Amino acid sequence: MTFVLIVLFVLILSKATYAEKNGFNKDYISKDSTTAINGIFVILVFLRHFAQYFSLDSASDAAFIEVNNFLNQLIVVPFLFFSGYGTMLSIMKKGTPYVKNLFKGRFLKILFHFDICVLLFLILDILLGKEYSLKQTSLAFTTWTSIGNSNWYITAVLSFYLIAIVSFLLIRKHHFPALLLFTALTIGLVYFNIKVGRDAYFYNTMITFPLGMWYAYFKPTIDKLVMKNNINYTFCLAAASFCFLIAFKYRFEGVEFFAIWSGAFAIIITLLSMKIKVNNPILIFFGEHVFSIYILQRLPMMVLRQLNINTNSFVLFFVLFAITLFIALIFDTLMKKFDGVLFDRKKLESK
């Protein structure tokens, strides 16, 4: 698996462009840039899940295991941060009509896609002889439980859309207090998850979504400050790195430290993208299919583990990734057709 990390590193550098000595990448957080970065991290997510299903006990896997243990939940931080950024950017540009359409245009759409995936997992569970209670199976369609599928990330994102609807409809004309309310409700959601006994990975990176929203709100000021010169840029990068390292030491001693750690990581990735732009078309392609790759990747993993296939991990990884990508492309093609009927954006925005 260490070799896969090397391949990923090569893909990142391939076709990458670099800002001039005293310049900056002005579109560092554009859709194209963030899609490529998401492509990097969806591969890291795949690697992490792969390690949960198949044994990695060769000497060549040691470096990957160290990297995997270090990154922990950070591999989902860019997804949350960029989603928060994009949501806030749309709210600022489109206003209340966009917020009103969040429920059907985003919440129900994602839940519909997710439930189709859960149905696929249910069918596979039956074929593999796996049994779940009626309660667990029913709740799986709400994202609250799992029947083999990934679910916590979708729970978080759907929660954020509901919180955004509440925050920005209660306070429509002023984004700053609405953002304060959104952040407060997110913190409340974190402690609710703690109270009901959810595993830490359900909530310990949640704060990066509102952080992305705050970044969108203050972006003009941030750009003016950070991009003034390389001294300012270096200071900001050093400050974010310092927070990252300090929080790293205490990250498992409280959700507050983990939140600082993940937030600092999001800022570091964003600052680095000011100087380096990832342009690899393969990573961009993966980034365009993040949802389906993320949700469906466990299906072939479950099948091959059930068949006790655990051959050379490097070969197995690429076979599984190819199968996942094939399934994801079929899924996205079908969902696009359904979305055209159920969630037509033009029809929603005209209402």
Side-chain angles (χ1 to χ4, degrees):
M1 287 302 96
T2 301
F3 185 74
V4 177
L5 288 180
I6 295 173
V7 172
L8 177 59
F9 186 69
V10 171
L11 287 175
I12 294 171
L13 295 181
S14 176
K15 297 186 180 299
T17 55
Y18 307 90
E20 297 178 359
K21 186 176 180 180
N22 295 311
F24 296 90
N25 172 26
K26 300 295 183 181
D27 65 341
Y28 68 95
I29 200 168
S30 65
K31 183 173 177 58
D32 288 342
S33 296
T34 57
T35 297
I37 295 172
N38 283 341
I40 297 170
F41 283 91
V42 78
I43 294 175
L44 292 175
V45 169
F46 193 96
L47 278 164
R48 186 171 184 82
H49 289 164
F50 181 87
Q52 295 172 358
Y53 283 85
F54 305 98
S55 60
L56 302 177
D57 49 14
S58 68
S60 62
D61 293 324
F64 162 73
I65 293 172
E66 290 297 320
V67 172
N68 185 44
N69 290 337
F70 171 77
L71 287 175
N72 199 271
Q73 285 296 101
L74 294 185
I75 55 177
V76 300
V77 163
F79 305 146
L80 290 169
F81 182 82
F82 294 145
S83 293
Y85 175 85
T87 299
M88 188 62 203
L89 206 62
S90 295
I91 291 173
M92 291 191 296
K93 288 182 177 179
K94 302 176 183 179
T96 300
Y98 174 80
V99 178
K100 288 181 177 179
N101 288 330
L102 273 177
F103 185 73
K104 186 173 183 180
R106 299 298 297 169
F107 181 93
L108 289 182
K109 181 179 177 180
I110 291 176
L111 184 60
F112 173 72
H113 289 193
F114 177 80
D115 283 347
I116 296 297
C117 293
V118 172
L119 185 59
L120 295 176
F121 275 91
L122 179 59
I123 294 171
L124 182 60
D125 287 336
I126 294 172
L127 294 176
L128 296 179
K130 296 181 179 293
E131 295 183 1
Y132 294 95
S133 68
L134 179 60
K135 179 181 179 181
Q136 184 171 352
T137 302
S138 300
L139 288 176
F141 286 93
T142 71
T143 79
W144 187 254
T145 62
S146 168
I147 54 173
N149 57 287
S150 298
N151 66 313
W152 77 265
Y153 179 81
I154 306 303
T155 305
V157 170
L158 294 180
S159 299
F160 291 138
Y161 287 134
L162 293 179
I163 292 173
I165 292 169
V166 171
S167 301
F168 290 91
L169 287 185
L170 282 178
I171 309 173
R172 302 190 182 194
K173 295 183 178 180
H174 304 286
H175 292 147
F176 188 86
L179 266 175
L180 287 176
L181 177 58
F182 185 99
T183 305
L185 291 174
T186 299
I187 294 172
L189 181 62
V190 169
Y191 285 101
F192 168 78
N193 277 279
I194 295 174
K195 187 71 174 178
V196 298
R198 305 287 269 177
D199 290 326
Y201 61 81
F202 274 87
Y203 55 80
N204 57 17
T205 56
M206 275 188 171
I207 200 65
T208 52
F209 191 97
L211 179 63
M213 298 180 78
W214 281 110
Y215 196 95
Y217 182 77
F218 285 113
K219 184 179 181 294
T221 303
I222 294 171
D223 288 354
K224 186 176 180 180
L225 173 66
V226 177
M227 295 184 178
K228 183 177 181 180
N229 51 54
N230 278 337
I231 295 176
N232 285 19
Y233 173 82
T234 303
F235 175 81
C236 292
L237 183 59
S241 300
F242 177 78
C243 292
F244 179 84
L245 292 173
I246 295 298
F248 170 76
K249 183 178 180 180
Y250 302 101
R251 67 195 185 284
F252 296 128
E253 295 187 15
V255 66
E256 299 84 0
F257 291 108
F258 205 102
I260 295 172
W261 188 49
S262 57
F265 183 72
I267 297 301
I268 290 171
I269 293 296
T270 304
L271 290 173
L272 289 176
S273 66
M274 291 182 180
K275 290 291 187 178
I276 306 170
K277 183 176 181 180
V278 179
N279 291 309
N280 190 286
I282 296 175
L283 295 177
I284 293 173
F285 179 75
F286 293 159
E288 291 172 343
H289 299 277
V290 163
F291 177 89
S292 51
I293 294 174
Y294 174 79
I295 295 295
L296 298 170
Q297 61 187 249
R298 292 182 184 271
L299 289 171
M301 291 181 187
M302 290 167 60
V303 172
L304 293 192
R305 186 171 70 172
Q306 184 79 6
L307 296 174
N308 291 318
I309 296 177
N310 197 11
T311 183
N312 180 282
S313 59
F314 175 74
V315 174
L316 185 59
F317 171 86
F318 281 101
V319 169
L320 281 168
F321 194 83
I323 294 172
T324 300
L325 190 58
F326 177 73
I327 298 171
L329 290 176
I330 294 176
F331 177 83
D332 285 344
T333 299
L334 292 175
M335 290 303 101
K336 188 175 181 180
K337 293 182 181 298
F338 279 116
D339 293 345
V341 176
L342 300 175
F343 307 102
D344 184 86
R345 182 177 296 179
K346 292 181 179 179
K347 290 181 180 179
L348 289 174
E349 291 180 352
S350 64
K351 292 182 179 180

